Amino acid sequence: MNRIFSGMQPTGNLHLGNYLGAVRNWVAMQHDYECFFCMVDMHAITMPQDPAELRRSTREVAAAYIASGIDPDVCSIFHQSALGGEHAELTWILSSLTPLGWLNRMTQFKEKAGKKRENAGLALYSYPVLMAADILLYHATHVPVGEDQKQHLELARDIAGAFNRHYDIEFFPLPEPQILGEATRVMSLRDGSSKMSKSDPSDQSRINLTDDADTIAQKIKRAKTDPELLPDDPAALDGRPEAANLVGIYAALSDQTAAQVLADFAGKGFGQFKPALSDLAVSVLSPISENMRRLLNDPAELDRIIGGSAERARSVAAPILHKTKDIVGFLQV
Ligand code: TYM
């Protein structure tokens, strides 16, 4: 059976971009693959985190996965640090085959390090190698993510190829990125040229999975748009990033294509479109936030699920790491 690995950083509010770009696709794929869905707390600490908040957020992300429809009886839902030794060890081995030139091309490092590049941590720089290790440690074949992770996945494929070539063995499968749906890159509600993101200082820029109905409606009402009417053809949304974003969100939330959405709204203005989008977003997201609240009220049960999943993950990862060390030539006595 093909295997999926994907993950999310427990670094604060999960938003509509995380849901539409990733989790919603995971839910749709979970019965066709053996799935590992991780809360990547080791990636989270590549930027400063408050310890208590990191722990809280790790449980919250697990709750979000389950509340969105991931079945914990079928999929493994666990935190990366539970297998921290294994993930870190494979990262080290893969680092030995990763040229600095490959890492220097990573745009996420440049964005996150900003102007103070000399002060950025080593882990932020090697972040994509840990991500490759996450995937390769499970011999994952498919990795469903949003568009912003494409470059990291290409690097993971390059690293897998470099290992196989160096040791002259077909050991790591080259993982296939799965960038699916109508909302692979959800944009900020305040600026159609920047990505919806947890780190945007304006909460108005994103819809959080925990926002209540009034907040969602208010954020969509205030979302930036243009004065034009909606066209009947998605191609006519070129050059209208805010309009294209809202239509894409509507399409993804209603399981339609942008063309189907425009067939219903062509010739209408945002005065009509926005309330329809609010109702749709609330109808999809309120059951999720309600479920999250319920799950978070029982942290012991959540921890039982996470702990059991980590055991399952270890049973897959341990033999792969053992074999990797064998290939590399480490004495295993
Ligand atoms: P993270 O935590 O930034 O995001 C989690 C997932 O949400 C997607 N996403 C979006 N999709 C569409 N529109 C957006 N505005 C948007 N913002 C975020 C991301 O593409 C991602 O799929 N490095 C990863 C976590 C990771 C990982 C892995 C993923 C660590 N190891 C191994 C896959 C496989 C990250 O930072 O995701």
Side-chain angles (χ1 to χ4, degrees):
M1 195 179 192
N2 284 323
R3 204 174 267 162
I4 281 180
F5 184 98
S6 199
M8 222 167 257
Q9 296 190 72
T11 50
N13 284 328
L14 291 188
H15 54 70
L16 191 61
N18 298 131
Y19 177 65
L20 294 179
V23 184
R24 196 176 166 90
N25 294 326
W26 304 354
V27 174
M29 300 169 91
Q30 64 182 322
H31 297 295
D32 300 324
Y33 298 81
E34 183 186 2
C35 293
F36 294 89
F37 296 124
C38 198
M39 291 80 80
V40 292
D41 47 3
M42 291 163 71
H43 277 108
I45 61 160
T46 60
M47 297 294 270
Q49 305 297 335
D50 173 72
E53 179 55 26
L54 179 61
R55 234 182 318 270
R56 190 200 64 76
S57 196
T58 303
R59 286 200 184 97
E60 188 176 83
V61 173
Y65 291 174
I66 298 168
S68 301
I70 301 290
D71 180 350
D73 290 331
V74 175
C75 305
S76 301
I77 296 172
F78 64 105
H79 51 310
Q80 193 180 25
S81 61
L83 281 85
E86 288 86 344
H87 285 248
E89 205 168 344
L90 185 58
T91 300
W92 185 258
I93 292 171
L94 299 177
S95 299
S96 70
L97 295 167
T98 308
L100 293 186
W102 291 2
L103 292 177
N104 286 339
R105 288 205 294 271
M106 296 295 115
T107 53
Q108 186 178 291
F109 172 75
K110 289 179 201 164
E111 278 159 24
K112 287 197 177 170
K115 292 198 180 85
K116 297 190 203 129
R117 207 170 151 159
E118 293 298 311
N119 292 338
L122 176 58
L124 186 64
Y125 187 65
S126 58
Y127 177 115
V129 189
L130 175 59
M131 188 163 153
D134 293 344
I135 298 165
L136 302 182
L137 185 59
Y138 300 87
H139 275 188
T141 52
H142 293 78
V143 187
V145 285
E147 219 258 339
D148 60 343
Q149 296 302 314
K150 193 165 174 232
Q151 193 185 36
H152 285 159
L153 287 185
E154 281 162 4
L155 183 80
R157 286 172 65 87
D158 288 344
I159 292 176
F163 183 96
N164 293 347
R165 264 194 314 283
H166 183 81
Y167 293 104
D168 194 21
I169 182 169
E170 280 307 308
F171 183 61
F172 289 122
L174 302 196
E176 287 286 340
Q178 304 276 289
I179 299 173
L180 305 167
E182 290 287 329
T184 57
R185 189 176 178 82
V186 177
M187 307 307 279
S188 154
L189 298 179
R190 308 299 296 163
D191 169 9
S193 66
S194 63
K195 191 178 69 170
M196 185 177 285
S197 144
K198 290 173 201 162
S199 53
D200 192 317
S202 164
D203 195 56
Q204 293 295 317
S205 69
R206 64 183 160 260
I207 293 173
N208 303 307
L209 289 191
T210 48
D211 283 346
D212 61 25
D214 284 349
T215 310
I216 293 173
Q218 211 186 60
K219 285 178 176 175
I220 291 177
K221 194 167 170 199
R222 290 196 195 141
K224 188 175 168 198
T225 44
D226 57 40
E228 312 286 316
L229 300 178
L230 285 165
D232 57 7
D233 176 5
L237 291 172
D238 275 1
R240 297 177 63 187
E242 286 85 11
N245 188 38
L246 295 187
V247 170
I249 291 173
Y250 193 105
L253 284 171
S254 60
D255 272 327
Q256 300 182 81
T257 62
Q260 285 168 324
V261 174
L262 291 177
D264 287 340
F265 287 97
K268 296 186 175 147
F270 287 99
Q272 276 173 288
F273 184 72
K274 281 181 166 182
L277 178 58
S278 287
D279 289 347
L280 175 62
V282 168
S283 74
V284 174
L285 298 182
S286 350
I288 296 178
S289 57
E290 223 167 89
N291 269 333
M292 275 176 73
R293 261 195 301 278
R294 194 177 44 75
L295 289 158
L296 288 166
N297 272 335
D298 190 355
E301 170 60 8
L302 213 45
D303 289 357
R304 193 190 61 75
I305 293 172
I306 297 171
S309 287
E311 278 311 307
R312 205 182 317 165
R314 187 167 293 109
S315 71
V316 171
I320 294 176
L321 183 63
H322 190 274
K323 175 75 182 156
T324 309
K325 290 164 74 172
D326 208 36
I327 294 169
V328 167
F330 290 165
L331 193 60
Q332 304 200 70
V333 289

